[in-house]
Amino acid sequence: MNAIPTWDDIRDAAARIAPHATVTPVLRSDLIDARVGTAVRFKCENLQRGGAFKFRGATNAVWSLDDEEARRGVVTHSSGNHGNALAMAARTRGIPAHVVVPEGAVKAKVDAIVAAGATVHRCEPTTAAREAKAAQVQAATGASLVHPYADPRVMAGQGTVVPELLRQHPDIDTVLFPVGGGGLAAGCSIAAHAIDAKLRLFAAEPEGADDAARSLEAGERVGPFTPETLCDGLRTLVGEPNFRVLREHRVSVLRVSDAEVVAAMRLLWSELRIVVEPSSATVLAALLRYPDRFVGHRVGAVLTGGNVDLDALPW
């Protein structure tokens, strides 16, 4: 799990997932451009299969398995989107999927995992409990572990977002994405600088789960923490290989508050007419909080997911 994918791995992943993944649209808003003071293009991974970018990495991992590995199935631990994506990817290959879900996960996301055909295993809401339960299931079933963000196959799949975005808008000179465990952030960083070493890279992170920012400031990965944020997809400690990629590619991490995330979430709904979850809205929150970092640049911002529990909106 400490391996880092290469640009060739990301290109191979793009070919591998092409029969299954959606080429997601890019949207913009005159009002948002005016508020930020620059041109922003939103890569809408909330419209990806399964409602999140996670389908890319999960599909690459599933279709990278040899036939014997695939027969035994796959297992992961996830609070929602990765578990759903892995279940859907496993279904495209007709193999079993097991997902360890912590107590307190968003109901809409858990329901989606079940609907996709995975076997759900519950655990306590800690990283240690998730990993222990996944190891237990793996030992019992022989399934291959597909880690939500530290698996190089997952990172490579997530990295396919950037070449797709740059084909759609070749004039982009700045890429902005959320960071939690760092699978998307790492994959996008590797792809971006393989295409153009001058591309500026930014990550958005909630103040209540700012371990990536603190790790980069300290020059080393910080230890476990208790997240306090409504951004459920970003409550995970950044992975070790993921941190190394962020540091190597000089990614600037911008902190945002939950209040700013909610305001950004509402603005995206009203202006782009799309459903996004709080973790996605961090990118717009960062653009609005730090406009001086983006004025005069052409920004591609990744909206990571749209799996929202409509019975528990944050307003």
Side-chain angles (χ1 to χ4, degrees), residues 67-266:
D67 289 343
E68 178 58 25
E69 291 171 324
R71 183 187 62 78
R72 295 193 296 269
V74 288
V75 60
T76 195
H77 53 84
S78 168
S79 61
N81 284 340
H82 174 68
N84 181 34
L86 189 64
M88 292 181 65
R91 190 165 59 184
T92 68
R93 196 164 177 181
I95 64 175
H98 300 269
V99 181
V100 174
V101 177
E103 297 293 343
V106 174
K107 182 178 183 299
K109 295 183 178 182
V110 180
D111 289 345
I113 293 170
V114 174
T119 301
V120 171
H121 307 264
R122 292 284 189 170
C123 71
E124 293 298 311
T126 67
T127 298
R130 288 164 56 140
E131 292 177 347
K133 188 67 174 181
Q136 181 183 31
V137 173
Q138 184 180 19
T141 63
S144 295
L145 177 67
V146 180
H147 194 278
Y149 49 85
D151 189 314
R153 301 165 299 183
V154 169
M155 286 186 268
Q158 320 304 30
T160 63
V161 169
V162 163
E164 188 174 292
L165 170 61
L166 293 177
R167 284 195 299 272
Q168 293 166 311
H169 288 274
D171 61 335
I172 284 171
D173 64 21
T174 301
V175 182
L176 170 63
F177 35 75
V179 60
L184 176 73
C188 285
S189 299
I190 294 166
H193 281 167
I195 295 169
D196 183 353
K198 297 187 298 297
L199 281 170
R200 304 187 325 141
L201 303 179
F202 291 87
E205 186 173 48
E207 291 174 339
D210 66 341
D211 61 292
R214 289 186 290 112
S215 294
L216 290 171
E217 290 165 355
E220 60 183 4
R221 185 165 167 259
V222 300
F225 70 107
T226 301
E228 295 181 3
T229 176
L230 59 84
C231 302
D232 62 287
L234 305 180
R235 292 173 181 161
T236 307
L237 181 68
V238 67
E240 193 279 329
N242 314 81
F243 167 68
R244 285 191 280 128
V245 173
L246 295 181
R247 184 173 56 185
E248 178 183 346
H249 289 270
R250 305 175 306 282
V251 177
S252 297
V253 180
L254 305 176
R255 297 174 173 92
V256 294
S257 70
D258 277 4
E260 290 167 330
V261 166
V262 171
M265 186 177 173
R266 295 187 67 141

